[in-house]
Amino acid sequence: MKKISAIILALTMVFSLAACGSSEQKPDSAPELQIASAEELLNSVWDKVSEDQKFPVAGGDMDNMQEDKAGNFSLENMDLVTSVLHLSQDTAASVSEAASMINAMNANTFTAVAVKLNEGVNAEEFVNAVKADVEGTQWMCGFPEYLVVYTVGDYVVYVIGAADLTTGVFKTAIETAYGENAHLALEQTLS
């Protein structure tokens, strides 16, 4: 009887210790993604691009022009929104703010845009609208090779341009900057 009691007591202690050792403390929820603006989002991505992969860029519209980084882009002048951001008026109506960053030598080589979606806008539908708008663009001076679109919280980020810059440099940088919060929504050739 003493042997059985000792074995039961020993097993109880072993299971108690095993249970204590395996209790991991998990947070109640993941920290909420905090992005101050579309401009901050693009600049966070650009900061993750290695110096040897960077190229001259300019960001923003004429009133918010930035050299070597992203800048805010007003949504008030639809001609500029259509020609630079490649968004139709209907698509642009779904966003509250925008920022851009464009290759200083050739926009068809690299154009990155971040937009914040208005509350209640379906991200998947917006991504499909961006795709249709970009495909419907009348390109001058060459045709970009790729379109890559990510969602990051309430933002949609899309990049148009050469394969090595869109599917290579930019994808790596956004995934490094935002990790699992950066969700690849679309990647396709344009030519």
Side-chain angles (χ1 to χ4, degrees), residues 8-143:
I8 292 173
L9 182 60
L11 288 173
T12 303
M13 288 176 33
V14 167
F15 288 123
S16 297
L17 290 174
C20 290
S22 68
S23 65
E24 289 183 29
Q25 298 246 341
K26 295 183 182 179
D28 292 332
S29 63
E32 189 174 323
L33 180 64
Q34 297 291 322
I35 301 172
S37 67
E39 180 180 7
E40 177 194 271
L41 190 157
L42 279 183
N43 283 324
S44 295
V45 173
W46 189 243
D47 288 345
K48 297 299 181 187
V49 175
S50 66
E51 288 302 317
D52 64 322
Q53 292 181 313
K54 285 189 175 177
F55 45 88
V57 294
D61 58 23
M62 297 307 277
D63 295 329
N64 300 296
M65 188 64 64
Q66 302 286 332
E67 189 175 328
D68 295 325
K69 61 182 180 175
N72 287 324
F73 202 100
S74 172
L75 298 167
E76 292 181 18
N77 184 333
M78 276 313 301
D79 289 338
L80 284 177
V81 170
T82 301
S83 66
V84 177
L85 304 184
H86 309 289
L87 295 178
S88 68
Q89 187 167 0
D90 288 344
T91 306
S94 297
V95 303
S96 59
E97 66 175 273
S100 68
M101 183 170 49
I102 299 170
N103 184 309
M105 303 302 285
N106 184 349
N108 293 353
T109 303
F110 180 86
T111 296
V113 178
V115 296
K116 183 172 186 181
L117 298 179
N118 291 329
E119 191 172 325
V121 172
N122 180 287
E124 185 178 345
E125 290 174 9
F126 183 81
V127 168
N128 289 330
V130 168
K131 175 184 175 215
D133 289 349
V134 169
E135 289 176 334
T137 297
Q138 297 296 315
W139 299 95
M140 301 176 82
C141 304
F143 203 77

Side-chain angles (χ1 to χ4, degrees), residues 168-181:
V169 172
F170 193 82
K171 278 184 66 177
T172 301
I174 194 168
E175 290 173 1
T176 301
Y178 289 99
E180 63 187 33
N181 291 308

Side-chain angles (χ1 to χ4, degrees), residues 127-128 130-136 143-149 159-163 166-167 171 184-191:
V127 168
N128 289 330
V130 168
K131 175 184 175 215
D133 289 349
V134 169
E135 289 176 334
F143 203 77
E145 295 176 313
Y146 275 87
L147 168 64
V148 177
V149 184
V159 61
I160 306 159
T166 56
T167 62
K171 278 184 66 177
L184 180 62
L186 177 72
E187 179 180 350
Q188 74 171 53
T189 59
L190 291 172
S191 49

